[in-house]
Amino acid sequence: MITPSQRCRFFIILMLVCTFGAWGVDKTTAYLIDEEISRHIQEIIKLRRFLHMNPELSQREFETSKLVASQLLSMGLEVKTGTAKTGVTGLLRGGQPGVTIALRADLDALPIQEATALPYQSLNPGVMHACGHDIHTAIALGTAQVLVRLKDRIRGNIKFIFQPGEEGPPAGEEGGAALMIKEGVLDDPPVWAVIALHVWPDVPVGRAIFTSGPALAGADGFEILLKGRGAHGARPYEGIDAIVLASQVVLAIHSTLSRTNRPDDPAVVSIGKIQGGVRSNIIADEVRLSGTARTLSEVNRTRIERLLYDISDGITKPLGAQFELHYNRGTLPVYNHPDLADILLPSLRSALGKNNVSPHPPQMVAEDFSEFSQRVPGFYFLLGVRPAGAQAVPPLHSPGFNPDEKSIAVGIKAAAHLLLDGLATQHRMKD
Ligand SMILES: [Zn+2]
Ligand SMILES: [Zn+2]
């Protein structure tokens, strides 16, 4: 968690930013970044296509991990493999002393059969990079490639974190950001702040969106088991109909939530699965409801868990039925530290052009980057990947998802500026 002393440091940084005025890397560095990007972009796009053709599922990113490690080694970085099983880190030590900032990318793909008809579509049946993590990995490798050349100008260290299992480890396994952190990815050298991005098809390529504070929702899962009593379909009065109980519970959840939730603290509850019943002429004795709850605050999270309990209790009790609620607290909200945002948002604007960065309302999707942003200040932005002129494009997690590859150069530029500016801020603070 962020300590009061960290808050104090941020305040000092903020004052320095105000004192120093305009923000951003110097002109020569900005020129060198652009030059390095144009020098390497074709090979990075080739690498992204290779990753796209060879997607691997969460916590099974064996070949992807090997490829990333060999790329980082060839750049001369200090490489560590095997964190959270398939995670990789590359440490770039700058020419001048300073703190360590991190850039995090995720490695895993989804169990989706690709339907893009691209010449480089997935060769792995039923598995696809439909969340753009191939783009994230390519951007992080590209950023490392660019910054290696600028090593002497770097005041501190940059840790490139390649995380497995962002979409969630297989049932019963540990993985993802939480396991990487547990195994020490934020230590040795300790990470001061962490940056990440996600491709975003609602936004045109060349642009980015960012919001300070809670940016993405926390995601919890729940299951409600409603226990009635079976009977003949012709004699329902001899049983307790679990299907009727389930129908009432579903409707009560949605109507109660819409009437009780504050519009300034959004929450979404969806029940995606109902299982129950045996055949058409038997009164079902049990029905299981499975759903997800998305919230931006702890208050709402606790409130929804209570609401699910009270509704189930209120509906089952009068009829003599019973229920079990299993509420599983999952991913926390992604939190963009407001003080870090004050420092780095001008840097993002300076990299992409001030009219190309705009705010966004919190999104109800979830991301385990939250594990990082709960421990050290985080900066997480959404990178436009919609091709210029396109009105609607296939969404994330769909078989047709096809981000514009021009976003790779944009992402590398943004990441390089943010990392260098972040470190420069810390350096100035120490002067
Ligand atoms: Zn995803
Ligand atoms: Zn994703």
Side-chain angles (χ1 to χ4, degrees):
M1 296 305 287
I2 292 150
T3 62
S5 74
Q6 277 175 312
R7 285 201 73 83
C8 178
R9 285 174 71 197
F10 271 114
F11 184 68
I12 297 166
I13 295 164
L14 197 59
M15 293 204 30
L16 281 159
V17 171
C18 297
T19 314
F20 281 91
W23 197 244
V25 296
D26 63 73
K27 277 192 178 150
T28 316
T29 308
Y31 173 80
L32 289 172
I33 290 172
D34 288 347
E35 194 184 56
E36 283 301 293
I37 292 174
S38 20
R39 204 143 73 96
H40 294 290
I41 194 65
Q42 287 316 319
E43 70 196 66
I44 293 160
I45 287 174
K46 239 167 88 183
L47 187 79
R48 181 262 159 165
R49 291 185 178 185
F50 183 85
L51 291 167
H52 193 82
M53 287 165 86
N54 297 280
E56 294 177 294
L57 291 173
S58 305
Q59 297 300 145
R60 303 290 183 269
E61 308 91 339
F62 304 111
E63 298 306 315
T64 310
S65 170
K66 274 188 214 159
L67 178 70
V68 166
S70 74
Q71 290 282 323
L72 295 171
L73 278 171
S74 72
M75 294 174 206
L77 268 63
E78 291 172 28
V79 178
K80 195 172 168 201
T81 57
T83 313
K85 298 163 199 167
T86 43
V88 184
T89 50
L91 183 67
L92 172 60
R93 291 193 193 269
Q96 299 165 51
V99 297
T100 301
I101 195 166
L103 176 68
R104 174 275 208 167
D106 35 17
L107 300 168
D108 53 332
L110 287 158
I112 291 177
Q113 180 62 46
E114 180 161 354
T116 58
L118 288 166
Y120 50 89
Q121 73 172 332
S122 171
L123 298 174
N124 190 355
V127 184
M128 177 192 176
H129 268 296
C131 202
H133 299 184
D134 50 339
I135 299 266
H136 303 167
T137 301
I139 287 174
L141 285 171
T143 308
Q145 184 75 68
V146 165
L147 292 180
V148 160
R149 167 90 192 281
L150 303 176
K151 204 172 164 178
D152 294 342
R153 293 171 174 265
I154 300 174
R155 298 157 163 182
N157 310 312
I158 300 171
K159 200 181 269 189
F160 294 91
I161 300 174
F162 294 87
Q163 181 211 302
E166 190 285 320
E167 301 288 355
E173 284 185 33
E174 273 189 288
L179 189 57
M180 277 203 111
I181 294 167
K182 194 168 144 188
E183 293 183 5
V185 77
L186 291 176
D187 315 321
D188 192 26
V191 169
W192 159 66
V194 60
I195 292 167
L197 61 88
H198 204 292
V199 296
W200 207 248
D202 296 351
V203 176
V205 68
R207 298 177 60 96
I209 54 174
F210 173 85
T211 199
S212 187
L216 304 184
D220 297 336
F222 64 86
E223 222 175 62
I224 302 171
L225 176 63
L226 297 157
K227 299 179 194 172
R229 193 168 62 241
H232 195 293
R235 299 162 68 95
Y237 47 86
E238 290 178 341
I240 303 171
D241 193 339
I243 284 180
V244 173
L245 294 174
S247 312
Q248 288 181 337
V249 168
V250 171
L251 289 175
I253 288 170
H254 291 309
S255 52
T256 311
L257 192 73
S258 81
R259 299 296 79 195
T260 56
N261 206 62
R262 289 175 60 97
D264 58 355
D265 188 9
V268 173
V269 173
S270 291
I271 292 153
K273 194 170 163 188
I274 300 185
Q275 282 173 298
V278 183
R279 57 173 288 163
S280 58
N281 61 353
I282 298 175
I283 297 296
D285 63 342
E286 277 192 359
V287 173
R288 197 179 290 271
L289 308 175
S290 311
T292 183
R294 306 293 173 109
T295 51
L296 296 169
S297 70
E298 188 55 37
V299 172
N300 240 353
R301 192 184 207 193
T302 308
R303 193 177 73 79
I304 285 170
E305 184 175 358
R306 184 77 223 173
L307 191 100
L308 296 175
Y309 183 91
D310 288 346
I311 286 172
S312 307
D313 191 51
I315 288 170
T316 51
K317 218 177 227 168
L319 294 164
Q322 288 176 321
F323 76 98
E324 283 173 26
L325 168 67
H326 301 279
Y327 193 88
N328 303 310
R329 294 193 159 219
T331 316
L332 295 162
V334 167
Y335 184 74
N336 279 325
H337 196 291
D339 295 339
L340 185 63
D342 286 338
I343 296 166
L344 290 184
L345 190 53
S347 170
L348 186 61
R349 289 207 176 103
S350 146
L352 304 189
K354 72 174 179 348
N355 296 326
N356 289 328
V357 181
S358 41
H360 68 83
Q363 303 290 316
M364 300 316 276
V365 293
E367 232 285 15
D368 76 351
F369 180 74
S370 55
E371 297 287 342
F372 292 105
S373 70
Q374 294 290 323
R375 284 164 180 85
V376 294
F379 186 92
Y380 185 92
F381 66 98
L382 303 173
L383 180 72
V385 293
R386 195 175 76 203
Q391 290 306 311
V393 290
L396 289 166
H397 288 212
S398 78
F401 181 62
N402 180 19
D404 190 327
E405 286 180 325
K406 288 193 193 80
S407 61
I408 296 174
V410 182
I412 296 172
K413 185 171 180 174
H417 280 244
L418 289 167
L419 293 166
L420 293 184
D421 279 338
L423 289 177
T425 312
Q426 287 290 295
H427 192 76
R428 284 182 197 184
M429 195 182 76
K430 286 186 171 169
D431 285 345

